[in-house]
Amino acid sequence: MKESSNLLFDLVLFGGTGDLAMRKLLPALYQLYRTSPFQSGTRIIAVGRSIVSRDTFLSRVRDKLKQHLPEASWDQVSWQQFAKHLHCVTIEADKTESYRELFPLLSDEQDRPRVFYLSTHSSLYTPIASSLGALDLITPQARVVLEKPIGRDLDSARAISGQMSNYFSEDQIYRIDHYLGKETVQNLLVLRFANPLFESLWNHHYIDHIQITISESIGVEGRGEFYEETGALRDIVQNHLLQLLCILAMEPPPNIEPDRIRDEKLKVLYALQPLQADDISRNVVRGQYIAGNVGGKLCPAYTEEEGVAEQSNIETFVAMRVLIDNMRWSGVPFYLRTGKRLPNRSCEIVVHFKDVPHWIFDAPRGQLMNNQLVITLQPDESITLRLCGKRLGPGIDVRTVDLNLNPKSRGNKRSADAYERLLLDVIKGDQTLFLRQDELEQAWRWIDPILADWDRSSSPPELYASGSWGPAGSTLLLAKDGRLWHEGVNT
Ligand code: BG6
């Protein structure tokens, strides 16, 4: 990540003792501090409902940092310096009087960036904004970060937006989707738009289909209650998967100004073929994990997790076939898949190019010999182009050859974590990698009919064993089209 001058800001973290804060946000702030040390006076104020004391809070943060950071990133001196910037207050998010605790910390320094990070349930966004407004804590330099999922459908997302706009202007609202902050997503923009080699092939003439998979080996990890309200469609498909699809499918923007990129992503969302009634059962598979073995460990069924109803119909897996109705993508399926308790944690995009129209070699054409561009976002970032080459030796024997375009193998330094990059963008006021309201609404508009269909349906999700690649329906979804899921190097 580029070195930048020392940062000066205030960041108020609602949900400051929650899972996301401890697992991702505070570690990201610590890494940011190590790359761009904060000016003295910078304040990170964690807001929680039950913070006992600053010492207890700091010791918990230290433990979590050690647990979640790569070992090489931890150092005691940096921690001690970083900890000087950490404060904490106890606030009941829906009780305006309790916000008075913030006054002593925020009454001065009105001119520096003031970030309100709302890492709470989205039903609390409006009460938080209205209390901040009532107490005059929203300065012209203030900005608010809204975690996904924002709302649970189009209507609730709109209601939240309407309320937020009473307190913040659109250029103060940062709707975060941390997948957009991953290094490879930005690299994808360069790969597509700086290389005529790819851009000229990036259409239905040369691409057969595209697969995007976000798999996790973990289950709901103590977030059973949240998951019961959310499910994989709202948690991952409505945001992370659709955003990746937009970046892959969008037209070249005229420049990389935030709104020009967002305009192009929005057009992709408008062009998604709507799924209605019968289309949904044909094109969308939902699953739920039962007990099974993941990485040698026996894991319980979803319905045995804490906070989950015994008869829950909530999906922990979704696979879907999506079409984009425009000139570039007509007839090219995008297969999206996500699930918990799958064999590994990975995020992979596989662009399958069409076969050559005529095979001239004597050696038989292998089944998987079409060119593939495999873009891996995690666990390790890599870009691999799979081509056909000749096997060394006499005669012509064709085999596949992998060309590694991995930036890391060229000796690059540590790449910033997604949240680290996005938090820096918020502090600097760059909205490029954040969603605009119209994108959010259009994504919900497309998802809503699926949610409604599942609500009406009496059939439960298909069960799959923990540690497998999801229910049989997911394999069938591609098999019907004569295709297979790409099971990558990590499997
Ligand atoms: C979050 C979801 O947005 O993304 C979680 O709410 C999921 O359920 C997480 O575990 C995955 O993020 P990452 O970066 O670890 O792939």
Side-chain angles (χ1 to χ4, degrees):
M1 193 166 95
K2 193 168 168 290
E3 296 287 328
S4 49
S5 53
N6 292 4
L7 299 168
L8 180 65
F9 60 94
D10 287 326
L11 186 146
V12 186
L13 179 52
F14 287 87
T17 52
D19 175 69
L20 184 68
M22 292 293 166
R23 219 160 28 91
K24 304 262 192 185
L25 300 174
L26 289 162
L29 285 162
Y30 166 85
Q31 293 280 37
L32 187 58
Y33 171 78
R34 291 196 356 127
T35 320
S36 328
F38 306 156
Q39 287 186 33
S40 77
T42 284
R43 297 169 292 205
I44 296 169
I45 306 163
V47 173
R49 263 179 311 185
S50 51
I51 296 176
V52 182
S53 69
R54 183 163 182 269
D55 284 348
T56 330
F57 173 70
L58 289 185
S59 107
R60 178 147 178 246
V61 177
R62 191 188 52 228
D63 292 350
K64 292 289 177 181
L65 254 52
K66 282 184 157 177
Q67 183 184 342
H68 295 295
L69 285 168
E71 214 175 309
S73 299
W74 173 260
D75 97 74
Q76 184 64 18
V77 177
S78 299
W79 158 251
Q80 278 166 346
Q81 297 300 324
F82 172 70
K84 289 187 186 152
H85 298 279
L86 296 182
H87 304 263
C88 49
V89 292
T90 305
I91 284 182
E92 293 279 340
D94 50 358
K95 296 207 173 80
T96 306
E97 330 75 77
S98 67
Y99 285 63
R100 297 202 179 275
E101 295 247 359
L102 276 174
F103 270 133
L105 289 160
L106 290 179
S107 56
D108 57 351
E109 308 295 355
Q110 312 259 327
D111 295 333
R112 58 170 73 164
R114 177 174 288 187
V115 180
F116 296 109
Y117 197 118
L118 311 196
S119 167
T120 61
H121 195 285
S122 64
S123 57
L124 290 174
Y125 293 173
T126 305
I128 293 174
S130 97
S131 297
L132 295 172
L135 298 176
D136 255 349
L137 291 171
I138 303 176
T139 56
Q141 284 299 319
R143 45 213 77 164
V144 64
V145 184
L146 306 181
E147 260 299 335
K148 43 83 19 193
I150 302 178
R152 38 182 301 106
D153 52 21
L154 177 61
D155 288 347
S156 52
R158 273 188 172 154
I160 292 171
S161 296
Q163 295 292 336
M164 294 310 281
S165 66
N166 293 331
Y167 306 100
F168 296 94
S169 57
E170 179 64 24
D171 61 5
Q172 291 180 299
I173 303 179
Y174 289 70
R175 298 176 190 86
I176 197 165
D177 181 320
H178 76 279
Y179 267 66
L180 291 182
K182 294 192 189 265
E183 174 79 21
T184 317
V185 172
Q186 287 159 48
N187 201 6
L188 196 54
L189 291 176
V190 179
L191 191 80
R192 282 199 54 196
F193 301 129
N195 293 296
L197 177 70
F198 288 114
E199 193 47 23
S200 56
L201 302 178
W202 213 255
N203 56 55
H204 68 102
H205 294 296
Y206 297 100
I207 292 182
D208 178 74
H209 73 280
I210 295 185
Q211 301 182 7
I212 315 178
T213 297
I214 297 179
S215 67
E216 297 187 88
S217 51
I218 55 171
V220 290
E221 304 297 291
R223 296 195 307 158
E225 265 174 52
F226 162 82
Y227 216 76
E228 280 287 274
E229 276 191 39
T230 313
L233 192 67
R234 291 187 176 97
D235 190 35
I236 304 276
V237 181
Q238 189 269 348
N239 32 74
H240 304 328
L241 277 171
L242 287 187
Q243 284 296 313
L244 291 179
L245 178 139
C246 286
I247 298 278
L248 279 166
M250 72 186 197
E251 294 301 313
N255 54 47
I256 57 162
E257 278 172 24
D259 273 333
R260 298 299 72 78
I261 293 191
R262 301 194 288 186
D263 289 346
E264 296 307 331
K265 287 197 288 154
L266 179 63
K267 287 185 207 162
V268 176
L269 293 169
Y270 278 132
L272 294 181
Q273 194 171 93
L275 291 173
Q276 308 284 353
D278 288 353
D279 302 338
I280 296 174
S281 53
R282 270 202 310 272
N283 293 296
V284 188
V285 176
R286 58 175 173 151
Q288 188 188 83
Y289 62 81
I290 53 171
N293 217 296
V294 187
K297 199 174 142 231
L298 183 64
C299 300
Y302 173 68
T303 48
E304 287 159 3
E305 304 270 15
E306 203 186 315
V308 173
E310 257 173 60
Q311 302 293 327
S312 174
N313 263 357
I314 290 296
E315 76 289 352
T316 59
F317 178 99
V318 178
M320 52 170 51
R321 179 179 186 275
V322 179
L323 289 172
I324 301 179
D325 285 338
N326 65 17
M327 297 278 256
R328 186 186 283 264
W329 295 114
S330 176
V332 179
F334 284 69
Y335 298 100
L336 314 184
R337 171 174 67 159
T338 186
K340 296 216 181 264
R341 289 254 201 265
L342 300 186
N344 61 29
R345 171 179 183 256
S346 73
C347 175
E348 192 181 66
I349 298 166
V350 187
V351 180
H352 288 256
F353 290 89
K354 289 190 170 164
D355 291 341
V356 283
H358 173 65
W359 187 252
I360 64 167
F361 302 102
D362 293 335
R365 204 188 158 280
Q367 234 203 339
L368 296 172
M369 274 190 174
N370 59 335
N371 292 161
Q372 292 170 18
L373 181 67
V374 182
I375 302 157
T376 310
L377 281 75
Q378 56 196 30
D380 298 315
E381 292 147 16
S382 68
I383 301 183
T384 304
L385 185 59
R386 174 161 287 187
L387 303 168
C388 283
K390 178 189 167 302
R391 197 183 295 279
L392 275 181
I396 299 190
D397 190 5
V398 185
R399 61 175 182 127
T400 53
V401 189
D402 284 349
L403 207 64
N404 193 351
L405 313 176
N406 184 357
K408 271 206 179 138
S409 61
R410 295 199 295 268
N412 282 13
K413 348 188 243 184
R414 176 185 81 83
S415 75
D417 159 82
Y419 274 106
E420 186 183 339
R421 180 175 288 121
L422 295 172
L423 281 162
L424 183 60
D425 284 353
V426 178
I427 295 163
K428 293 194 162 170
D430 181 347
Q431 289 188 307
T432 310
L433 298 173
F434 297 82
L435 271 74
R436 211 167 49 194
Q437 175 59 22
D438 46 9
E439 282 180 82
L440 174 75
E441 285 188 13
Q442 189 54 29
W444 277 125
R445 195 170 285 117
W446 189 78
I447 289 284
D448 270 3
I450 307 175
L451 289 168
D453 183 74
W454 289 355
D455 274 352
R456 279 191 306 267
S457 154
S458 51
S459 52
E462 263 186 78
L463 301 177
Y464 62 97
S466 291
S468 72
W469 277 104
S474 161
T475 311
L476 273 177
L477 182 74
L478 269 72
K480 281 188 294 194
D481 295 345
R483 299 183 174 112
L484 287 171
W485 285 108
H486 181 264
E487 308 298 10
V489 281
N490 302 310
T491 54

